Amino acid sequence: MMKTMLMQRSVQWILVLLTITFTMSFFQSLLPQRDNLTAPVFLEEPYAPVQDMQPDYTPVTPTHEVFSNRIVEYHMNVEYLPDSKELKGEQIITWKNPGTQPVQELYLHMYPNAFASKKTTFMQESDGKLRQDKATAGSFGGMELLSIKSLDDDDLSQRISYVQPDDGNKEDRTLIKLSLPQPVNPSHKITIKTQFIVKLPEVFARMGYVGDFVMAGQWFPKVAVYEPTGTRGRAAEGWNLHQYHGNSEFYADFGIFDVKIKVPSSYIVAATGFPIKPPSDNGKDKTYHFYADDVHDFAWSASPNFIYVEEPYSTANIPGVKIKLYLDPQHKELKSRYMYAAKKALARYSQWYGSYPYSTLSIVVPPEGGNGAGGMEYPTLITSWGAGDETPDLELERVIVHEIGHQFWYGMVASNEFEEAWLDEGFTSYAEDKVMESVFGVLPNLPVEASYITSPNALQLNAWHYKNHGEYADNVYTRAKLVLKDIERQVGPEQMNRVMRTYFQRWKFKHPTTKDFQNTLEEVTKKKWDEFFTQYVYGKMMVDFSVDVIRTKQVVLNGTKQYESTVFISRRGGTSTTVPIHFRFADGTMLDKSWDGVEASIEYKLTHTVPLDWVKIDPAYTLVLENKHINNYMRTTVDPKWKVRLNLGSVELLKSLIGWVAW
């Protein structure tokens, strides 16, 4: 799920800028540039014109190639009731026991119940807010299970109970347990039938409605994941069970989805997968029929206002995909930008990591006011930001690039986002930066981003164990990305590309863990990474090297007056392989040294004909995980009335501004 750092940090920047208004004009020339955000940069071919058209629902025949274990199979019918803003659905679920022991119960996620009241776990943890969207009086909804039966129509409703394995909150009804009449033996299957109704909220936290627009994400009873022994390091097989939390996203098994969607005749539907027959229309209602395999979720969106655009696309690494845009009318003239970003993202990711194997990719642009549904990923379907800005900057392209990245790390690799969200969000953020740099010429300002990390925490952490959404986002998006960038700094871009590709190819469709990534890294680089992972992945460390003291005294050597400067430098955070240190003397003489950064501190004694003027640790900002640049610099002589470190050069002054929020 996309995070916009500019939005989250606006308050901090305002406070900083107000504090130093007397230098405003100076800083305007120094602030990091993003290559003209208001006008895309073309490093390759320019955007081609894209023509509007009617949606193509030509039937597609499923292939026989199987990529995943296909543990679950869903056959669903759903009808959207526009007057009541409800989804009326029925489903037949078949689940296969992947373990070696009989299973006596089945668990279903009931995600829409996160919005049932202010007392649910999701609403309490999030305080009714996700990103910049605040829940309103209309942002409540829920799911009611109308019936649950066996394949033979035996009523199973008395066998269900809501469970709260994470926090015991009895007001939370996002996970349901079904005690089965008979156990499901290993490799055997069970089929159940349900009928349900979903009251949609006003669009909030990935689902709901705004006007005529509908986003159905996490909208149906979904089987939880049963993990065999060895899966994600499990010592004993069992269910992986979690409620819907304020920070967490999702985790599910791969399978097959066969879904019929009934909407008013004027509506156009975008969905996971592809159509297997043209929609039927009786003049009042229209029914679409979609199919998807080797995916772990199914989402759809509908609106009578969509402007539809499609293009076939193929490269040496993409056999052929139909890119489908479902545009809000306000962004009709921006269709070429959406298509260009989608093509370039698909091409780059498929080149770097592995082929995109699906036949479609749908992009939904929500209307103005629909950001609650925006910036989200589902298998073969993504959403952009809402169309509130008629002249958006490169954030338009960035969110498309980011969400398409999720097709690889969320869609195919499919890590457990409840427990190890960084394996999706951090990897996607890392890959997003690479596309934005290679295609649009936008380089990340890593020192700035590192300075945002004021509450570092472990990356392999349950999503709801971060103290708030800000800490969650700062760690699983930004800090996680910086960890990957620091690995790249140490091994080099070419070897890092091999690491990422090997990891993707080995673990796609298999639900890997952090340890699986570490093992892949160690195999490719042929070195151990235990210390690094202990500090920066399993631990909460950041790099922090400080110039603590500079002492200068006059000495006489061989009858010549000299100056002896003693510099004390300490390590206040994690270790780093190489710590560059730059010394500058009063006559302009410069000296560079390198420290291994392993010990707690180091002392340098330098003798020169003039005193030492200043010291700067990491002058080129190569220490990616250094988040407190304010203590990297010190001058020998400072007016006593100032008790802070003054970075007096233009670059140092700018970095002081940035580092102010991370003291």
Short mmCIF file of all heavy atoms in Angstrom, two decimals, residues 26 30 614 633 635 646-656:
data_model
loop_
_atom_site.label_atom_id
_atom_site.label_comp_id
_atom_site.label_asym_id
_atom_site.label_seq_id
_atom_site.Cartn_x
_atom_site.Cartn_y
_atom_site.Cartn_z
N PHE A 26 17.27 31.46 1.10
CA PHE A 26 18.49 30.69 0.91
C PHE A 26 18.19 29.20 0.77
O PHE A 26 18.69 28.51 -0.11
CB PHE A 26 19.42 30.94 2.09
CG PHE A 26 20.70 30.13 2.04
CD1 PHE A 26 21.64 30.38 1.04
CD2 PHE A 26 20.95 29.16 2.98
CE1 PHE A 26 22.81 29.66 1.00
CE2 PHE A 26 22.12 28.43 2.93
CZ PHE A 26 23.06 28.68 1.95
N LEU A 30 18.43 25.44 -1.95
CA LEU A 30 19.16 24.25 -1.53
C LEU A 30 18.31 23.02 -1.33
O LEU A 30 18.82 21.91 -1.28
CB LEU A 30 19.88 24.55 -0.20
CG LEU A 30 21.02 25.56 -0.27
CD1 LEU A 30 21.55 25.80 1.13
CD2 LEU A 30 22.13 25.06 -1.18
N TRP A 614 37.65 22.05 10.99
CA TRP A 614 36.41 21.30 11.25
C TRP A 614 36.56 19.84 10.84
O TRP A 614 37.47 19.46 10.11
CB TRP A 614 35.20 21.93 10.58
CG TRP A 614 35.28 22.23 9.10
CD1 TRP A 614 35.60 23.42 8.54
CD2 TRP A 614 34.99 21.34 8.01
NE1 TRP A 614 35.55 23.34 7.16
CE2 TRP A 614 35.17 22.07 6.81
CE3 TRP A 614 34.62 20.01 7.91
CZ2 TRP A 614 34.98 21.51 5.54
CZ3 TRP A 614 34.41 19.43 6.65
CH2 TRP A 614 34.60 20.17 5.49
N TYR A 633 29.10 16.66 12.36
CA TYR A 633 29.95 17.80 12.00
C TYR A 633 30.28 18.63 13.25
O TYR A 633 29.44 18.83 14.12
CB TYR A 633 29.20 18.66 10.98
CG TYR A 633 29.92 19.92 10.57
CD1 TYR A 633 30.84 19.91 9.53
CD2 TYR A 633 29.66 21.13 11.20
CE1 TYR A 633 31.49 21.07 9.14
CE2 TYR A 633 30.30 22.30 10.82
CZ TYR A 633 31.22 22.26 9.79
OH TYR A 633 31.85 23.41 9.40
N ARG A 635 32.94 22.18 14.34
CA ARG A 635 34.04 23.12 14.12
C ARG A 635 34.88 23.21 15.39
O ARG A 635 34.39 23.01 16.50
CB ARG A 635 33.51 24.50 13.76
CG ARG A 635 32.85 24.55 12.40
CD ARG A 635 32.78 25.96 11.89
NE ARG A 635 34.13 26.46 11.58
CZ ARG A 635 34.39 27.25 10.55
NH1 ARG A 635 33.41 27.63 9.73
NH2 ARG A 635 35.61 27.67 10.32
N LEU A 646 26.80 23.84 14.91
CA LEU A 646 26.45 24.71 13.79
C LEU A 646 27.11 24.16 12.52
O LEU A 646 28.32 24.09 12.43
CB LEU A 646 26.93 26.14 14.06
CG LEU A 646 26.30 26.82 15.28
CD1 LEU A 646 26.85 28.22 15.42
CD2 LEU A 646 24.79 26.85 15.16
N ASN A 647 26.31 23.77 11.58
CA ASN A 647 26.83 23.32 10.29
C ASN A 647 26.87 24.54 9.39
O ASN A 647 25.85 24.96 8.84
CB ASN A 647 25.92 22.24 9.68
CG ASN A 647 25.90 21.01 10.54
OD1 ASN A 647 26.69 20.88 11.45
ND2 ASN A 647 25.00 20.09 10.24
N LEU A 648 28.05 25.16 9.26
CA LEU A 648 28.13 26.50 8.70
C LEU A 648 28.27 26.51 7.18
O LEU A 648 28.02 27.53 6.57
CB LEU A 648 29.29 27.26 9.34
CG LEU A 648 29.15 27.44 10.86
CD1 LEU A 648 30.34 28.22 11.39
CD2 LEU A 648 27.85 28.16 11.20
N GLY A 649 28.71 25.42 6.58
CA GLY A 649 28.72 25.39 5.13
C GLY A 649 27.30 25.26 4.62
O GLY A 649 26.40 24.86 5.35
N SER A 650 27.08 25.57 3.35
CA SER A 650 25.72 25.52 2.81
C SER A 650 25.11 24.14 2.89
O SER A 650 23.95 23.97 3.27
CB SER A 650 25.72 26.01 1.36
OG SER A 650 26.54 25.18 0.55
N VAL A 651 25.92 23.12 2.56
CA VAL A 651 25.40 21.76 2.64
C VAL A 651 25.12 21.39 4.09
O VAL A 651 24.08 20.82 4.43
CB VAL A 651 26.38 20.76 2.01
CG1 VAL A 651 25.91 19.32 2.23
CG2 VAL A 651 26.52 21.03 0.52
N GLU A 652 26.06 21.74 5.00
CA GLU A 652 25.88 21.42 6.41
C GLU A 652 24.65 22.14 6.99
O GLU A 652 23.93 21.60 7.81
CB GLU A 652 27.13 21.79 7.20
CG GLU A 652 28.28 20.80 7.05
CD GLU A 652 28.91 20.90 5.68
OE1 GLU A 652 28.95 22.01 5.11
OE2 GLU A 652 29.36 19.86 5.17
N LEU A 653 24.42 23.37 6.56
CA LEU A 653 23.28 24.13 7.04
C LEU A 653 21.98 23.45 6.63
O LEU A 653 21.04 23.32 7.42
CB LEU A 653 23.33 25.56 6.51
CG LEU A 653 22.33 26.56 7.10
CD1 LEU A 653 22.50 26.63 8.61
CD2 LEU A 653 22.54 27.93 6.48
N LEU A 654 21.93 23.03 5.40
CA LEU A 654 20.74 22.32 4.93
C LEU A 654 20.54 21.04 5.72
O LEU A 654 19.42 20.73 6.15
CB LEU A 654 20.87 22.00 3.44
CG LEU A 654 19.77 21.10 2.86
CD1 LEU A 654 18.41 21.77 3.01
CD2 LEU A 654 20.06 20.78 1.41
N LYS A 655 21.61 20.29 5.94
CA LYS A 655 21.47 19.03 6.64
C LYS A 655 21.08 19.24 8.09
O LYS A 655 20.43 18.41 8.70
CB LYS A 655 22.76 18.22 6.53
CG LYS A 655 23.04 17.76 5.11
CD LYS A 655 21.87 17.00 4.51
CE LYS A 655 22.14 16.63 3.08
NZ LYS A 655 21.00 15.93 2.45
N SER A 656 21.47 20.36 8.69
CA SER A 656 21.03 20.67 10.04
C SER A 656 19.52 20.84 10.07
O SER A 656 18.83 20.39 10.98
CB SER A 656 21.69 21.95 10.55
OG SER A 656 23.04 21.73 10.83
#
